[in-house]
Amino acid sequence: RDGAALVRFLRWVDETAPGGGLTEIAAVEKLEALRAETGELRDISFDTICGAGPNGAIVHYRVTRDTDRTVVPGDLLLVDSGAQYLDGTTDVTRTLATGPAPEGAARAFTLVLKGMIAIALARWPAGLAGRDIDALARRALWAGGLDYDHGTGHGVGSYLGVHEGPASISRRGLVPLEPGMILSNEPGCYREGAWGIRLEILVAVTPPAVPEGGEREMLGFETLTLAPIDRRLIVPDLLDPPERAWLDAYHARVAEALAPLLPDPADRDWLAAACAPLAD
């Protein structure tokens, strides 16, 4: 439900931003209106972060009438938002291209994506805490001389707090991760005065199981969030085969799950194109 609303929003941004008439506040209002059209929205789960260009580099940016920026074609647009429904709480971030990517942005975006996939694919023995796996999200960024100054993930409640302790994926995450916990997975990269990049999905800790060919039980993550990732900002050569396989499988799942919830054929067509397998 929330993913389908987000698809309609992403298509609207795609069609609106290149003309130069989109503002941050207009984007915030449109996304909330589309979620409200579900008939199930109780409230947004936090004030939407919608930063264009240099505003995207402000990690906890909240647009006001004084700071509202018109999206210049070519700006990166970072949208971090969520909704409260009686049956769940969402929190999702997508960074969007509105034209040719700024210098260095596609490389940074791909390194952030590699970190998000690393967490999504992680396996670890029971008893480990968020601080023990936080570095997985940063490995590719560190190798490229980059990093981000916030945690990789926070706990999420169900129609409760969207930032819910005590578990987290961060250097301060001391609580062991246990099956059933829901956390965010949101690495990022920011260039002050230019752009911000963050990708976020919610994940649930899965029960212990022995991986194929293994000997010990390991916990893992199930990906919950379904929304396209902007393939225009990906440098394919920077992804290794398992990462590309994860991305293509994720997009196939997104398309299969969300297409039936989109009555407008134009939305379904946009979704199919956005979720096509990654080309070389």
Side-chain angles (χ1 to χ4, degrees):
R1 179 196 312 143
D2 197 65
L6 191 57
V7 165
R8 296 176 63 200
F9 170 76
L10 295 175
R11 177 194 162 205
W12 175 81
V13 169
D14 251 11
E15 295 175 349
T16 306
L22 177 63
T23 67
E24 293 169 340
I25 287 180
V28 170
E29 292 176 342
K30 180 68 173 182
L31 180 51
E32 184 170 346
L34 290 171
R35 283 181 162 130
E37 286 182 15
T38 66
E40 301 291 341
L41 180 71
R42 294 299 177 264
D43 200 354
I44 56 174
S45 51
F46 58 95
D47 290 338
T48 300
I49 298 171
C50 183
N55 287 344
I58 304 170
V59 174
H60 299 295
Y61 174 70
R62 297 293 193 279
V63 60
T64 68
R65 298 293 172 185
D66 292 333
T67 66
D68 190 21
R69 175 182 169 87
T70 297
V71 180
V72 177
D75 278 348
L76 295 189
L77 182 64
L78 188 158
V79 183
D80 184 349
S81 69
Q84 290 280 17
Y85 305 100
L86 286 176
D87 48 4
T89 300
T90 68
D91 184 359
V92 53
T93 307
R94 290 294 180 266
T95 302
L96 313 173
T98 65
E103 181 183 356
R107 171 178 175 268
F109 182 96
T110 308
L111 297 180
V112 169
L113 175 61
K114 287 170 72 73
M116 190 192 79
I117 294 173
I119 293 294
L121 291 174
R123 297 293 182 270
W124 68 93
L128 269 59
R131 68 175 180 180
D132 298 312
I133 65 171
D134 177 79
L136 297 177
R138 303 175 190 269
R139 180 177 178 272
L141 286 163
W142 285 347
L146 301 170
D147 199 4
Y148 51 96
D149 297 321
H150 57 76
T152 299
H154 55 81
V156 179
S158 178
Y159 200 46
L160 293 165
V162 71
H163 300 97
E164 180 180 82
S168 69
I169 304 173
S170 71
R171 292 163 185 163
R172 296 182 293 177
L174 304 179
V175 175
L177 302 181
E178 299 181 14
M181 287 181 171
I182 296 176
L183 303 106
S184 67
N185 169 9
E186 51 180 310
C189 186
Y190 310 89
R191 180 171 293 176
E192 185 176 356
W195 42 257
I197 295 166
R198 188 161 63 252
L199 293 171
E200 178 183 18
I201 56 176
L202 299 188
V203 293
V205 180
T206 57
V210 178
E212 184 177 355
E215 298 178 355
R216 298 188 181 187
E217 289 186 334
M218 298 287 161
L219 302 178
F221 286 124
E222 173 192 358
T223 295
L224 303 179
T225 302
L226 300 177
I229 295 165
D230 198 333
R231 293 157 55 255
R232 297 169 295 185
L233 289 170
I234 298 173
V235 181
D237 289 347
L238 294 180
L239 297 179
D240 60 32
E243 292 166 341
R244 291 184 65 138
W246 183 94
L247 182 67
D248 285 345
Y250 174 74
H251 273 150
R253 179 184 169 206
V254 168
E256 181 181 13
L258 300 188
L261 305 180
L262 298 168
D264 187 341
D267 287 331
R268 295 196 298 271
D269 290 344
W270 183 94
L271 176 65
C275 292
L278 188 65
D280 292 322

